[in-house]
Amino acid sequence: MKNFREYLFGGILLLFFSIRYYPGYPQRTLLATGKFLVAVILYGLGVAFLCKWAIRQFFKKELVWENFFKIALWAAVIMSFGESLRHYFYPY
């Protein structure tokens, strides 16, 4: 049950930070949010694969799949947080 809460909390944060709001354009909001969510998840998986490779190369150990998904989720949350700050506070 504890693992489910960890994934749920990270998933909620990921969804919250991935929202791209365009006032008056709900279709554009959904499209931009969906595109960004897919991109961040793919980047998170890429970072997790790099971490898995580094652990295998330097420590000669395998990364457990549960830890792999945790790394991917939290890397995606961190990247979406940084990008959400840029999206909302960047002067256009």
Side-chain angles (χ1 to χ4, degrees):
M1 188 66 174
K2 182 182 174 189
N3 292 337
F4 177 72
R5 278 189 246 150
E6 289 177 7
Y7 290 120
L8 182 66
F9 182 65
I12 289 171
L13 282 177
L14 182 61
L15 287 174
F16 179 72
F17 291 139
S18 296
I19 294 174
R20 301 291 173 255
Y21 180 65
Y22 295 98
Y25 300 101
Q27 213 172 18
R28 186 175 179 193
T29 298
L30 287 175
L31 186 64
T33 300
K35 282 182 178 179
F36 182 73
L37 194 58
V38 168
V40 162
I41 289 171
L42 290 175
Y43 286 137
L45 286 173
V47 167
F49 273 117
L50 289 176
C51 288
K52 184 177 180 176
W53 173 82
I55 288 171
R56 189 178 335 140
Q57 291 293 319
F58 298 123
F59 301 116
K60 306 291 189 232
K61 294 183 180 180
E62 279 295 320
L63 189 63
V64 181
W65 282 104
E66 182 179 336
N67 292 338
F68 174 80
F69 288 121
K70 284 181 187 178
I71 291 172
L73 176 66
W74 288 107
V77 168
I78 291 168
M79 285 185 281
S80 65
F81 175 70
E83 185 62 24
S84 68
L85 291 176
R86 188 202 64 81
H87 179 75
Y88 288 111
F89 296 117
Y90 187 76
Y92 289 102

